[in-house]
Amino acid sequence: IKLRRQSTMGRKDCSVNGTLYGTSFGAEQWLVLNKVAIVCASLNVSTHILVFLSLAINFISYSPMAIIIFEFIYVPCLGFALVSLFMTSITDPGAVPMGAWPLERYMPIEIENQNENSQTRNTRHTIEQCEKCEGNYKPPLARHDKISGRCVVKVDHFCPWVCNVIGVFNRKFFILFAFYTFLSSTTALVLLVMRSIRCSYGAGAWIPIIAWNKFNFDHDIVGCKKPSSFSILATHAVVMCVFFSTFVTLLAQYLAVTKGSRRGTNDSELVKTELNEIFGGSSNRFEWHWLLPLTVEFPDEVMEELLGYQIDYFHRDQHWQQNYFAESFNTS
């Protein structure tokens, strides 16, 4: 494996066996190569795996009902959560490519103003170009992300726990990751409570913080000798933290799912009313593909409206300039 690293204005690349991974304009596979974010995402995955192992080894044995809940509810939710996490991390969030140019209504329009002494020209529309992206065109719905080094359409935030920017094309995966993690943590809490009720003397002994010294498990009941009090406390603490954090995340994302994800503009009103900007498809009503970590697809007729730009195929490797537009327009 041959690695080649380069860094430009926050954009980092890594070449592995001829395939360029990174966030540069020439990267073949999107991947944010930020050390802190990679560590956070690794901790995220490790937490899910450790909770899974703790439940499987210590908390469901000798209970047929717990085994059924674990295998048919917890495991599928955990699987969907990890797949959604993976898709969130490797999916291009909507980075504006080199060669993007404004839609027709955003094009500069020159207006002639005549005075007594001279004739001047004023431009009514100002085209914004991002200096950090080598002067590439910056659509009205895009914002520059300093960690990935790219302008991304409809940026929500950069999440280190998934090691990626959350934008128009991976926000669905991010919401699904939070949703299935919430379901798996809820199921884990149910399993923890079931075992604590089954094995403890006191009904309130399953509450770890209040009952630190009350874990007097009945050693006469099969399967109640383990785990130790510390492992019970640790598992409860982790699961509860994950439960509340994902619950808050889902509340924060609810408005985007139901009301659209526009950022102070009416340019996407048509898109918002005809389809869901988060989950894609051809309808704004719930569809089953919303629950699956499948690639987000939008109808071709609204794709440019959604992104706020079109591709100048005459100058695919150059940033947009007004003279390029005039040349391309005349040739067409």
Side-chain angles (χ1 to χ4, degrees):
I1 298 177
K2 296 181 179 180
L3 301 179
R4 179 178 64 85
R5 291 186 175 88
Q6 61 180 12
S7 177
T8 305
M9 297 296 293
R11 297 181 290 276
K12 298 179 180 180
D13 289 333
C14 177
S15 179
V16 181
N17 291 336
T19 301
L20 192 62
Y21 297 83
T23 59
S24 71
F25 290 101
E28 301 173 64
Q29 173 60 56
W30 180 272
L31 187 65
V32 176
L33 300 175
N34 180 272
K35 295 180 181 179
V36 176
I38 292 175
V39 171
C40 290
S42 300
L43 289 175
N44 194 352
V45 176
S46 300
T47 300
H48 282 79
I49 294 176
L50 290 176
V51 171
F52 167 79
L53 294 176
S54 178
L55 292 175
I57 297 174
N58 298 316
F59 289 91
I60 66 171
S61 58
Y62 303 101
S63 175
M65 181 58 67
I67 294 176
I68 292 174
I69 294 176
F70 178 81
E71 292 183 351
F72 291 96
I73 300 180
Y74 177 80
V75 173
C77 289
L78 176 63
F80 278 116
L82 293 178
V83 172
S84 299
L85 171 60
F86 177 74
M87 293 298 295
T88 307
S89 301
I90 67 168
T91 300
D92 184 337
V96 181
M98 188 67 71
W101 61 340
L103 299 179
E104 185 176 354
R105 65 175 177 276
Y106 297 144
M107 290 297 182
I109 299 177
E110 292 185 344
I111 305 174
E112 293 186 359
N113 292 333
Q114 295 183 353
N115 358 30
E116 296 180 356
N117 300 324
S118 63
Q119 178 175 310
T120 61
R121 291 178 180 270
N122 295 332
T123 301
R124 187 165 63 183
H125 291 312
T126 300
I127 301 300
E128 186 174 359
Q129 294 176 268
C130 182
E131 297 180 357
K132 298 178 181 179
C133 290
E134 304 177 10
N136 196 35
Y137 169 61
K138 184 179 180 181
L141 299 179
R143 181 164 59 89
H144 186 83
D145 176 70
K146 64 180 180 180
I147 298 179
S148 64
R150 296 286 296 276
C151 287
V152 178
V153 176
K154 297 187 178 180
V155 173
D156 185 62
H157 67 291
F158 182 90
C159 181
W161 301 106
V162 299
C163 192
N164 204 354
V165 193
I166 306 303
V168 64
F169 287 131
N170 68 345
R171 197 168 183 178
K172 168 189 175 181
F173 301 128
F174 177 74
I175 294 176
L176 287 181
F177 165 67
F179 174 70
Y180 285 114
T181 301
F182 174 77
L183 292 182
S184 63
S185 61
T186 302
T187 307
L189 283 176
V190 172
L191 293 174
L192 296 178
V193 172
M194 288 176 60
R195 186 196 183 279
S196 299
I197 294 177
R198 174 176 177 266
C199 296
S200 62
Y201 288 115
W206 67 276
I207 305 177
I209 298 178
I210 299 176
W212 181 278
N213 296 319
K214 293 183 179 180
F215 285 97
N216 299 316
F217 290 96
D218 190 349
H219 289 233
D220 295 331
I221 301 178
V222 179
C224 291
K225 295 182 179 180
K226 293 182 179 181
S228 63
S229 298
F230 174 78
S231 63
I232 294 177
L233 290 171
T235 305
H236 272 84
V238 171
V239 171
M240 292 175 69
C241 287
V242 173
F243 172 83
F244 285 111
S245 62
T246 53
F247 178 74
V248 173
T249 300
L250 289 175
L251 286 180
Q253 296 296 326
Y254 174 76
L255 185 62
V257 175
T258 56
K259 301 298 183 181
S261 58
R262 295 179 296 126
R263 299 179 63 85
T265 178
N266 293 324
D267 291 331
S268 295
E269 186 68 29
L270 176 64
V271 177
K272 183 178 76 69
T273 55
E274 291 187 352
L275 54 86
N276 190 282
E277 299 178 24
I278 305 297
F279 296 97
S282 57
S283 173
N284 199 22
R285 297 182 178 180
F286 173 79
E287 296 178 353
W288 286 108
H289 69 83
W290 289 18
L291 299 177
L292 301 176
L294 303 175
T295 303
V296 180
E297 296 182 355
F298 298 99
D300 294 336
E301 59 270 19
V302 300
M303 180 64 76
E304 292 182 354
E305 180 78 20
L306 179 72
L307 300 178
Y309 66 83
Q310 52 189 325
I311 299 298
D312 181 1
Y313 292 101
F314 293 95
H315 306 89
R316 187 66 178 82
D317 299 326
Q318 304 178 47
H319 62 74
W320 181 88
Q321 291 185 15
Q322 185 174 351
N323 58 332
Y324 290 163
F325 163 69
E327 177 185 342
S328 300
F329 181 78
N330 292 331
T331 57
S332 61

